[in-house]
Every structure is written in C-alpha cells, then in structure tokens.
Amino acid sequence: MILQSLDRIVQAECPGAHVALTLANVTDTARALERNHLCGPIAGLVLADFVGGAALLGTLLEAPGQTVVLRARLPGGALGGALLECAYGYAIRGYTFRKVLPDLDDSEAPDETLFDRAIGRSAHCSLVRSWPGGRHEESVFDVAFPDRLTVTDIVEQCFCESLGRTALVQLAAASKVGYVECAHALLCEFSPEASDATYDRVGGRFDDGSVQDLLDSGADLGALAAHLGLGAPTILRTSPVRFACGCDAQKVLRMLRALPLAERQAMAAEGKAVDIFCHMCGKCYTLTPQQLRGLL
C-alpha cells in the first residue's frame, strides 16, 4: 500500500515563447495498477505509459463529476489494447486487455522489438469526455505507423487530432527487476502566437530522444523548459495525481444479486469462497460461503 504518494502534475506557461508545459509524475499510480492487475513486465510498462497519458488528458477536466476515457484497441499487438480513465482531480484507473505475455515477458530480445510486438503498428482509439447528468462527447481516430507505434504517438494524436491542438507529447516509463521504477509524462502545447522556429526547435528535441532522457532522469519543468529553449516557466498550478476506483464490496454484492437465481444457487452450493476482481483497478473482493448464501 502506498502511504504517501509523490505523484504530481504541474502546469506552467512560458509567456515569451507562447508555450504551455504540463509535467506529470505518475510513478506510484502506475505501480499500484501494475500490482493490482498482476501485470507482467511488458504490460506493466505499457500501462505506465498509458497512465501518464491519462494524467495529461486529465487537464481537460474543469469540474467535479467530469471524466475522460481513452480506449485504444491494438489489433496487431499481443496486449490487445488498453482502457484508461481519469476523473476530475486526477483520479486514475484502467487496465490493459492482457496482463501477462509469456512469450514476451521472458524474452531477451531488445526492448524496442518486445514493445513492437506488444503494441503492434496500428491502433483504433476513442476519446470520451463525460459530464454530470449523462452528457458526453466521443471522438474516434486511427493511428498507424509503418515502423513502430508507441503510446506516446497515441496520446499525441488525442491532442492533435481529437482536440485540434498543436501539441507534442513524450511519455517515459522504466522498469527495474521487472517492475515499474518511474513513469513521467510531458505535454507541450503551442498557442497560435508561437513561431514556426519555436515549434521546429522544440520538436527536434522531442525527436532526438533528449526529452525522454530528461524525463527518465526526473528533471523538473525548469530544466525541461531550459533544454527546449523556452525561457523560465511560470508555474500556474500543482495538483496531486492518484490511483482511485469507485468499486467497493457493496457494489460487488449488488452486482451478484442481479445474477439469475440459478447462478447464485450454484455458487452457494459449492460451499467455497469466491474471488471477484474489478476489471478497472484489479482489486480482489473475496466473498465467504456465508455471504454467498446470503445472496439467496
């Protein structure tokens, strides 16, 4: 259990360059989901990247009750896909469609080859923004790369294609002994007043891998802004990021009570405890034989 999470998202602007920066540390949140879902090392790292993307998308939310959900189907990848949700206040939950990939988790092939096989070369994605009262907006888009597709590409397309923003995204997650060691995300948004020269310079730093290296090293927004040549950033707000899910034992019982009577009778007749897992957060709820009989 994480007693005190260090996960944070920091939003800033660089007025002279007309650029907004958002930096997220989601290490503890990614670790919690990896552990709850019993992910293998490949799924754990891909999930960590998606968690960083979900935190960046959480900047779209302005009031309690709002959520944003990113769903990515990966038809050519061994993982199958992923679904991440961020609620107002940066409460994140989600999962990859497959959690363990024996052929990849135990392989000694280069990391790029393993992630290529896990994700594939294309993704069919949807971005859903919801408001209290049932109102929601959904956009659907496809991403395809002939050489290699990454979660960074998917999240960047969310901002550029679905939201119509001029933005660059970099996600960075690393593992140690098969478990997530760190997970960070950076969003760089350009206002209409930003010059082409600024965009080209910043884009070059994203493309050459130096931004990812800085994220892996835990660089702060000041160091990143200096590296990108944007001048000193003005911090606008800092918010905690956390793993959170609305599931609980009472909701599990209500779900089981909705099952046909014959199914409930069969479960109770076995006289054994039953484990129920939340598909969104991976938490396990164990129902005793006495509880199962109570469902009748």
Side-chain angles (χ1 to χ4, degrees), residues 253-267:
L253 289 173
R254 286 198 295 271
M255 176 194 71
L256 292 177
R257 288 193 185 99
L259 293 175
L261 177 60
E263 292 188 32
R264 286 179 279 148
Q265 289 174 330
M267 294 171 64

Side-chain angles (χ1 to χ4, degrees), residues 29-54:
T29 302
R31 286 174 179 168
L33 280 169
E34 177 190 43
R35 181 176 59 250
N36 280 15
H37 285 300
L38 302 177
C39 291
I42 300 298
L45 276 178
V46 174
L47 182 59
D49 274 342
F50 272 110
V51 170

